Amino acid sequence: MTATPPTIAHQTTPQTTSLLSYTSPATPLQTLEIWLPRPLSASSLETTVWIVYIHGGAWRDPELTSSQLEPTLRRLFPAFPSFEDAGSSRAVKHIAGFASLNYRLSPYKNHPTHPSDDRDESRNVTHPAHVGDIAKALEWLEREYNVTGNSGQTGGARGYEWVGVGHSCGATMLLQLVTSMGQANILSVCRPVALILLAGIYDLPVFLQNHSAPKVSTETQRVYTEIIEGAFGTDKRRWLSASPVAGDYSPETWSKGRMVVLAHSKEDELVEEEQVNRLVEVLERQGWGVGRQLLERELKGGHDFVWEDGEQVAALIEQVTLMLFE
């Protein structure tokens, strides 16, 4: 049983939460965590945003969860989880809260410690169920914490804007959310003002081609094929249609979008730099870089080091937040 969140009116102290369910009835993986650096009532709608984090894990790894954000929070708040030093970063004053989301997973029957079971509905889903869960979580955040609100889009009261941060397939899902890929009900979800995309997968067919023999061993090819087929099925036409490089990021589709940051490490051993290059080409063709900011940032370290260390992610959150307001 997950905890019931306090109403906004009762959020009077800085707080962290246990896992909260964003669906009814509650399910094991449709959950999230909330961190507030100050009472929500003390965060202005005009000068603060929420940070919404989507973890990676190849759409299937049960050991990567919403707790993936905690190393970043420790970098932003030296006394985390107490938030006693919340004023140590200039950017913190512009952050109303953090939400880190879990979502249902694709099968992983040969996981070394937590293999999936065919009877477990929460670990046997395919696209677009993962990104559909992200949309449900955002709808919950709107109801419970006034995140996103309608901001005038449908005549509703204004809410907090949000910045999406995604690692690996989490970055993929944020772009799928922005372009409503394969999920009609995502159209009702308010889009972020900015995205910070860390080591994302943006072209699924190319991703698989680059991890196929003879470029890699047959065992490595098997693993990557299993990942893509487990999350997107065996129809190769679906792989391209679900790829962020096939998306529409025009102002008509994403009117709120002001900034995209694409970050990648040359030391990344799991996702190749070509993924970034292909998305940059798409975004530039659609006018990004002129009026709407398109930034590339080079990271250091391996694929998981980026979130495990947290320092680089914290720095990017600080940079983007300050650029939005100062």
Side-chain angles (χ1 to χ4, degrees):
M1 181 70 68
T2 55
T4 301
T7 61
I8 293 172
H10 294 147
Q11 292 166 7
T12 56
T13 58
Q15 63 179 258
T16 63
T17 69
S18 56
L19 287 175
L20 303 172
S21 175
Y22 54 80
T23 60
S24 181
T27 65
L29 291 178
Q30 290 170 308
T31 57
L32 50 74
E33 294 181 78
I34 299 289
W35 296 270
L36 298 179
R38 70 187 68 82
L40 195 59
S41 59
S43 292
S44 165
L45 292 172
E46 289 76 24
T47 59
T48 63
V49 294
W50 274 68
I51 305 298
V52 178
Y53 185 85
I54 316 296
H55 70 78
W59 295 277
R60 66 176 190 166
D61 193 336
E63 294 187 333
L64 296 183
T65 69
S66 54
S67 64
Q68 199 180 85
L69 182 60
E70 290 185 9
T72 296
L73 291 173
R74 293 190 186 99
R75 296 289 187 173
L76 288 170
F77 305 96
F80 178 82
S82 71
F83 297 105
E84 290 177 359
D85 295 331
S88 61
S89 165
R90 283 172 53 212
V92 165
K93 67 181 180 180
H94 295 301
I95 299 175
F98 298 83
S100 188
L101 315 185
N102 293 308
Y103 47 88
R104 290 172 296 167
L105 302 174
S106 295
Y108 197 169
K109 294 182 180 181
N110 58 353
H111 187 277
T113 58
H114 298 85
S116 59
D117 189 307
D118 289 341
R119 296 167 295 180
D120 185 351
E121 294 181 1
S122 66
R123 293 188 60 192
N124 281 281
V125 304
T126 59
H127 175 79
H130 320 93
V131 68
D133 284 354
I134 303 306
K136 290 177 183 176
L138 286 164
E139 290 170 349
W140 185 93
L141 285 167
E142 179 175 347
R143 292 193 304 270
E144 301 295 338
Y145 286 89
N146 200 26
V147 179
T148 76
N150 287 298
S151 299
Q153 286 193 359
T154 57
R158 180 176 178 179
Y160 291 96
E161 303 284 14
W162 64 285
V163 173
V165 183
H167 178 259
S168 195
C169 69
T172 310
M173 284 187 278
L174 282 170
L175 292 170
Q176 290 170 332
L177 179 90
V178 163
T179 56
S180 305
M181 283 187 170
Q183 192 82 8
N185 71 337
I186 294 176
L187 290 169
S188 64
V189 176
C190 265
R191 301 327 194 237
V193 292
L195 290 178
I196 301 172
L197 305 175
L198 311 162
I201 303 159
Y202 311 123
D203 189 320
L204 297 173
V206 168
F207 182 62
L208 199 51
Q209 289 168 16
N210 286 337
H211 295 91
S212 298
K215 295 180 179 180
V216 298
S217 69
T218 54
E219 174 59 19
T220 298
Q221 176 178 325
R222 183 194 64 77
V223 171
Y224 277 80
T225 300
E226 188 178 86
I227 289 171
I228 298 301
E229 291 185 349
F232 297 93
T234 58
D235 186 347
K236 295 182 180 180
R237 292 171 298 182
R238 290 193 68 202
W239 301 351
L240 180 57
S241 65
S243 295
V245 293
D248 176 7
Y249 304 94
S250 66
E252 291 74 24
T253 297
W254 185 13
S255 60
K256 298 170 70 67
R258 294 171 53 189
M259 186 184 310
V260 172
V261 179
L262 294 169
H264 188 270
S265 169
K266 294 184 183 300
E267 302 168 70
D268 193 313
E269 74 284 13
L270 299 180
V271 177
E272 69 277 13
E273 190 174 14
E274 185 179 355
Q275 292 293 315
V276 171
N277 298 336
R278 294 185 72 83
L279 184 60
V280 166
E281 291 174 2
V282 169
L283 293 174
E284 287 181 341
R285 283 201 305 269
Q286 297 184 20
W288 282 83
V290 181
R292 296 183 295 167
Q293 291 182 290
L294 176 59
L295 307 174
E296 294 184 65
R297 294 291 184 266
E298 185 172 331
L299 302 174
K300 296 187 182 300
H303 188 73
D304 287 333
F305 175 81
V306 169
W307 69 263
E308 289 172 341
D309 175 69
E311 182 175 4
Q312 297 174 96
V313 183
L316 287 172
I317 289 173
E318 289 182 316
Q319 291 170 20
V320 168
T321 306
L322 289 172
M323 289 175 72
L324 288 173
F325 290 106
E326 297 186 0

